[in-house]
Amino acid sequence: MPRIVCVCLSHWPVTRLRRAGLAPDQGPLAVAAEGAGGLRFLALDPEARALGLRPGEPLGRVRARIGVPLQVHPADPDSDRAALLRLCRWAEGYAPGVAPFGPAEAADGFYIDVAGASHLRGGEGPLVDDLAGRLARSKIPARIALADTPGGAFALARYGASDRVIVPPGGAAEPLRALPVEALRLDPGTVSGLRRLGLRRVGEIDALARGPLARRFGEALLLRLDQAMGRRPEPLAPLTAEAAYRAARGFLDPIGRQSDIVVTARLLMAEIAPRLERDGLGACALRLVLYRVDGVMRVLDLGLSWPERCPERVAALVSLRLDRLGAGLDAGFGFETVALTVTVTGALSARQTELGAAPEGDGIDALADALAQRLGRPLLRLGARASHIPERAAQPLPWTRAPTSWPDHRPPRPLVLFPRGEAALDVLSTVPEGPPRRFRWRARIHAIVHAEGPERIAAEWWHAPGAARDYYRVECEAGRRLWLYRDGPHAPGRPAAWFVHGVFA
């Protein structure tokens, strides 16, 4: 059985600044990042919190309120992540299975799987005490919990009553039930929806029927609940040893210019490419690590939409990424080492490169990769979902080269589909069960000159039954083509409710 230690680091960005000597040890300290309406607090030290400040609060509203000098530093997530990875490497002295937090935790910290290793420290209690003591002596505030699962350990470390919790094997369920729903690592929308229903504790959710929960909040809620309770496994992704496809180059004279970094990335990829070709693979994701002279690491992750081993293309993507960073790269006194690692591979067979044949991956894939580096986020595409309801029939998916298959048997759909139908008022129909002849929508009267339909659409049988919709494709006198539906079939004595759901080209 796994035994997971969770180390949840409190206000890690300000801790890193103080440990690196970039901020004085005295006075309240805050880290701010761009958010809605300007700069907002990302992390605060205990002195700043004692003044009544909270993460997420706008910076501009508090300077006059607190009445004391406040040190504010800009957020540097890359340096925070690099320092966290160095701390994870140090924690491997307790057990080899160390995994840093991912996006789901929305916090800074790491897990250690100490199953089979705790006896080397005298048992689980002495191991946790030793770990907590070393972190305290290094002035790294942390909350620590040990449980059977990563989800349970995280919940107890982040939201438990004590900053040091050890639960016996199989004993995490009871203390978890008393914790708030935020402890399940859910997205903010799900947490808000649960609280609107009066569900504030994990135990209240666990006591409800699973079917209605899944229909209302999706499978992610049940997955996180089962992972925390130990009903479903949650494998960790520990830090790996030396990658099979990695190359590095050191410099006696540190480099700092963008052109030098791009050239180095091309040379490193040219060194890795023969190994990938030998194994019939290509790079789907790469990590470029720049080691500064003062020990700070800059990590750039590159994702590709199709396996690639062309050095020129990789160098072009690196150049685009550096263009977006600009002065944010912060070379300092220069980079003394540059390393390129292929973190994800994919099958890539031999391909024609002569006789004028275009290399595989040109066109839309190259454009998608270039846009992803320029925008700083992966591209998405629309994929079909198994649902007849129009607003549920598509879902955003990560960009891949594989074509999206859409049902070819359904009637045409509008170019613009509204998230929900917009009410059509003052509807006038010549035939009660037919389409309207005139209606008011968005403060304008629309007279219909042509209509096609109806197309009846109802929810799937496994969902809760709901009223079917009768959709019509209509054309107005002004030439606008709309997608109109009546909520439920025509019935004598029941007023018809009409909605506009989309606009055709």
Side-chain angles (χ1 to χ4, degrees), residues 85-120:
L85 293 178
R86 290 196 296 271
L87 187 61
C88 291
R89 291 295 184 190
W90 167 82
E92 287 179 337
Y94 289 92
V98 178
F101 284 177
E105 282 76 7
D108 296 299
F110 54 89
Y111 300 106
I112 312 174
D113 189 351
V114 298
S118 58
H119 67 282
L120 300 176

Side-chain angles (χ1 to χ4, degrees), residues 182-203:
E182 290 86 349
L184 293 179
R185 300 173 295 171
L186 304 171
D187 63 88
T190 301
V191 171
S192 177
L194 290 169
R195 287 190 168 274
R196 281 198 301 269
L197 294 177
L199 301 173
R200 302 181 181 278
R201 301 291 171 184
V202 174

Side-chain angles (χ1 to χ4, degrees), residues 116-246:
S118 58
H119 67 282
L120 300 176
R121 300 276 178 170
E124 293 180 346
L127 184 148
V128 171
D129 291 340
D130 183 73
L131 175 60
R134 292 191 179 194
L135 292 173
R137 289 192 294 273
S138 299
K139 297 182 179 179
I140 301 178
R143 295 173 61 89
I144 304 174
L146 193 155
D148 295 334
T149 64
F154 173 82
L156 293 167
R158 183 76 184 276
Y159 297 94
S162 172
D163 60 2
R164 199 178 307 179
V165 179
I166 301 176
V167 295
E174 195 58 36
L176 283 175
R177 289 191 177 95
L179 299 181
V181 294
E182 290 86 349
L184 293 179
R185 300 173 295 171
L186 304 171
D187 63 88
T190 301
V191 171
S192 177
L194 290 169
R195 287 190 168 274
R196 281 198 301 269
L197 294 177
L199 301 173
R200 302 181 181 278
R201 301 291 171 184
V202 174
E204 296 170 354
I205 300 173
D206 197 34
L208 296 177
R210 298 170 67 86
L213 280 175
R215 283 197 298 269
R216 179 150 189 158
F217 297 103
E219 278 292 328
L221 171 60
L222 298 182
L223 174 64
R224 289 303 188 191
L225 177 63
D226 289 345
Q227 286 176 340
M229 294 292 185
R231 299 168 190 149
R232 278 198 256 185
E234 183 183 357
L236 294 176
L239 295 172
T240 58
E242 192 70 17
Y245 305 105
R246 183 180 186 274

